[in-house]
Amino acid sequence: MSAAAKLAGFAAVLLLVFGGAVAVGGAIGPERDGSEAADADDAMSAHGADEAAHGGGEATADPVRGLAASADGLTLALEQTQLQRRRPTELRFAIVGSDGRPVRDFEVEHEKRMHLIVVRRDGSGFQHLHPKLAADGTWSTPIKLDDAGDYRVFADFKREGENHTLATDVFVDGPVDHRELPRPATTADAGDGYQVDLHEPQPGMLEFEVAKDGKPVEVEPYLGAGGHLVALREGDLAYLHVHPVTGEGEHGAEPAHEGGAPVAFETEFPSSGRYGLYLQFKHDGKVRTAQFTRVQR
Ligand SMILES: [Cu+2]
């Protein structure tokens, strides 16, 4: 497709989405205007019907995000969608509001105003970047993609009290060597002698324990928690809502023991299938990633 045709298509989609937003007006939660545009919007968002039925006005209840470049009147707009393999470049984008202008009023969540997750469609090449915001509303971050293929780019941010994850694709030309997800296992190698164990002490709870050369280590705080977890559904790369558990309250604080308190998260797997888990932790000042595959039956 030519760039012009692609842009024209994009503009048409924007018109549709923004037209829908205008038709819905100020409606919040399950009470929706019955216009066709609003209905189409609902049909396209996974579990939209479920949420409408069970949402009870909780705007943040949807466990799945990142399936759309536009949602709730916000659009992730990348400056370029073609990147060159192995070439360090600057990835630029904006979060565009329904008036067509970049929004600039982002809130800090997990210590940053913007979390950018980049992963190839087959689940390989995971990167977690923290772009910088310019005065005109443009975000930018250095990036280098070592392998050819189609990559999903997730912009995860908070604005006006609500969390958003918008996603779109970038393309790297060249011969593609697709990789299988790692075999489902409860142990993953994070490089340099680091090993991470995954436990599920109860449904909806994931616990990770980090060891180096066979000895448990105490991880350092990273992004305001013991670690950062991204969970993606195989196939559509739906981005799951994950909450770090801080170790207080009902979930039972682990007694502090020598080296190696587990890093815990709450998450809900919304359907059967395989999920890629990317646990990031910090030790000796360096952030590392352990990749797991989890099967939900
Ligand atoms: Cu981040």
Side-chain angles (χ1 to χ4, degrees):
M1 204 191 308
S2 77
K6 205 165 158 185
L7 274 178
F10 186 59
V13 168
L14 285 189
L15 267 179
L16 183 72
V17 169
F18 294 156
V22 169
V24 171
I28 293 171
E31 292 274 353
R32 291 289 192 97
D33 181 301
S35 76
E36 272 179 38
D39 287 343
D41 193 35
D42 264 353
M44 285 193 303
S45 88
H47 305 278
D50 275 353
E51 288 311 314
H54 306 295
E58 281 190 37
T60 55
D62 196 337
V64 165
R65 297 186 203 148
L67 292 172
S70 288
D72 303 321
L74 299 172
T75 298
L76 168 58
L78 291 181
E79 187 187 71
Q80 60 180 129
T81 55
Q82 308 267 352
L83 299 181
Q84 285 196 304
R85 181 158 57 126
R86 291 191 198 127
R87 176 188 283 190
T89 184
E90 199 74 10
L91 185 70
R92 272 184 248 278
F93 62 96
I95 305 300
V96 179
S98 49
D99 60 358
R101 293 162 188 266
V103 299
R104 289 177 293 178
D105 53 334
F106 297 88
E107 290 160 41
V108 171
E109 177 83 330
H110 303 312
E111 297 188 344
K112 302 283 178 184
R113 286 187 295 169
M114 178 64 68
H115 302 266
L116 198 75
I117 304 296
V118 180
V119 65
R120 205 169 71 166
R121 280 263 176 199
D122 63 357
S124 68
F126 178 92
Q127 295 191 41
H128 178 170
L129 306 167
H130 294 123
K132 288 196 168 66
L133 180 62
D136 68 355
T138 305
W139 291 95
S140 64
T141 175
I143 192 170
K144 183 164 82 74
L145 299 174
D146 287 332
D147 297 307
D150 298 352
Y151 288 79
R152 198 80 174 137
V153 176
F154 299 91
D156 192 351
F157 58 93
K158 188 173 186 179
R159 185 171 173 267
E160 294 177 347
E162 274 198 51
N163 292 95
H164 300 271
T165 307
L166 302 176
T168 190
D169 283 3
V170 297
F171 308 98
V172 180
D173 270 343
V176 178
D177 178 16
H178 278 115
R179 279 169 221 151
E180 291 285 318
L181 284 180
R183 277 218 324 241
T186 55
T187 296
D189 187 351
D192 293 334
Y194 285 92
Q195 201 181 11
V196 181
D197 282 339
L198 165 63
H199 311 280
E200 295 195 49
Q202 55 182 276
M205 171 88 75
L206 300 173
E207 277 188 359
F208 298 90
E209 279 181 290
V210 181
K212 188 181 186 206
D213 300 327
K215 288 191 185 129
V217 298
E218 189 77 58
V219 295
E220 293 152 28
Y222 175 55
L223 300 174
H228 189 270
L229 179 66
V230 170
L232 302 175
R233 181 164 59 192
E234 185 182 34
D236 63 1
L237 299 190
Y239 188 101
L240 270 50
H241 189 154
V242 174
H243 275 297
V245 177
T246 52
E248 297 161 18
E250 56 185 312
H251 304 296
E254 288 288 325
H257 45 90
E258 282 282 308
V263 186
F265 300 88
E266 277 175 34
T267 193
E268 190 187 318
F269 294 91
S271 61
S272 61
R274 298 204 298 173
Y275 292 82
L277 306 180
Y278 302 85
L279 184 270
Q280 295 190 283
F281 62 92
K282 195 171 176 185
H283 189 247
D284 277 348
K286 201 175 164 193
V287 177
R288 297 169 188 280
T289 304
Q291 182 181 353
F292 294 85
T293 300
R294 183 188 179 283
V295 179
Q296 175 72 24
R297 296 183 198 283

